[in-house]
Structure formats: C-alpha cells, structure tokens
Amino acid sequence: MDHGTLEREIHIDATPEVVFDVVSNPEHVRDWWTDEAEYPVEPGGEGRIGFGGTWVRFTVVDAEPPKLFSFRWTHAEGETAAPGNSFLVVFELEPTATGTRLRMTETGFRERGWDEAKIAAEYADHVSGWDHFLPRIPACATKAGARR
C-alpha cells in the first residue's frame, strides 16, 4: 500500500452551500469531527482544533464557497503549516441532481520524513478516523439546512 493519499467520497442530500458551511464553519465542525474548533474560515486563517483535551494546530489553505475548503493540520506550535510538517485535507464539493458529492483527500504522510512503520501507523489511524467521522456529515448537513 502506498500510504500517500487517503481518499473518500460521499453523497449528501443538501446543497453545496450547506455542505460547505458544515465542513468549514467551526460551529458545525464541532458537531461532526472535533470537540473544539477555533479558526477563521479564510485562506491563511490560523487556529486550532481539539480532540479530548488535546489541541492541534489548524491553518486554512483555501476557502472557496461552495466548492472547495482545504486546510493543513498537526504542524508544531510556532511553525508555519507547509508540506513536510503537516497534513493537507481538501474537501471538494460538486452539485448533483439530489445534493452534493463531497470528495475528501488527505495527503502529507510521506512528506513528514517518517519511517515506513510510522507512515503506515499514521495512515491507518487517519483511515479509521475519517471512516468514523465523515459519515456524520450528512446528518449535520440536514440539521444545518433546516436552520437556513
């Protein structure tokens, strides 16, 4: 297995505008992914996300509503997010006849300079995480769409 790029695709019965809000807005991100999220939804926006009391750095790369949201995460405090020190997550949103196709990719496993065992372990951990959290997005989108 390459362990270079993690890819997932799901269909969501909501407009791209609603789905973009759900995957980008910290208020909604806390509903489906993290315990805490603090960052501005704008390119270069820096902040942090929290899991069970552990905080990790978070930097928005692109925010192009309603079609693209990307960010880098897990870079060390005091470092600027870049290839080699962080993971890059990209959410691409495409309208369909019945909602939105959400394609998520995460890269940066090989660029961290880790040995093969560490790359495989990190990749497996992220596969498990995304497979748990991504299926929570449709329900959050339904809830968010109902509030509009």
Side-chain angles (χ1 to χ4, degrees):
M1 184 176 259
D2 175 31
H3 302 121
T5 301
L6 194 160
E7 299 177 77
R8 295 291 182 268
E9 190 172 293
I10 61 173
H11 181 270
I12 301 167
D13 292 328
T15 66
E17 290 79 10
V18 168
V19 176
F20 180 87
D21 196 35
V22 168
V23 299
S24 66
N25 183 322
E27 174 187 337
H28 295 303
V29 168
R30 287 188 293 263
D31 287 340
W32 65 269
W33 186 31
T34 65
D35 298 323
E36 296 293 332
E38 303 170 352
Y39 57 86
V41 182
E42 59 190 37
E46 293 189 21
R48 61 189 190 156
I49 56 176
F51 299 90
T54 300
W55 291 94
V56 296
R57 305 287 305 140
F58 186 99
T59 301
V60 176
V61 175
D62 289 304
E64 300 175 22
K67 59 184 179 176
L68 177 70
F69 181 69
S70 65
F71 60 88
R72 288 195 166 275
W73 68 308
T74 71
H75 47 292
E77 189 72 41
E79 290 186 9
T80 300
N85 74 354
S86 58
F87 298 109
L88 174 65
V89 175
V90 178
F91 289 111
E92 296 173 283
L93 293 75
E94 182 181 326
T96 67
T98 58
T100 303
R101 179 179 303 110
L102 174 67
R103 182 169 185 260
M104 185 282 302
T105 58
E106 184 175 31
T107 57
F109 299 94
R110 295 213 157 274
E111 294 78 4
R112 304 291 288 257
W114 296 326
D115 65 30
E116 284 301 317
K118 174 74 170 169
I119 292 168
E122 287 289 328
Y123 187 88
D125 183 53
H126 286 238
V127 165
S128 174
W130 288 118
D131 286 350
H132 172 76
F133 291 113
L134 287 175
R136 298 169 70 174
I137 294 174
C140 291
T142 298
K143 203 165 84 176
R147 290 194 297 235
R148 285 187 165 221

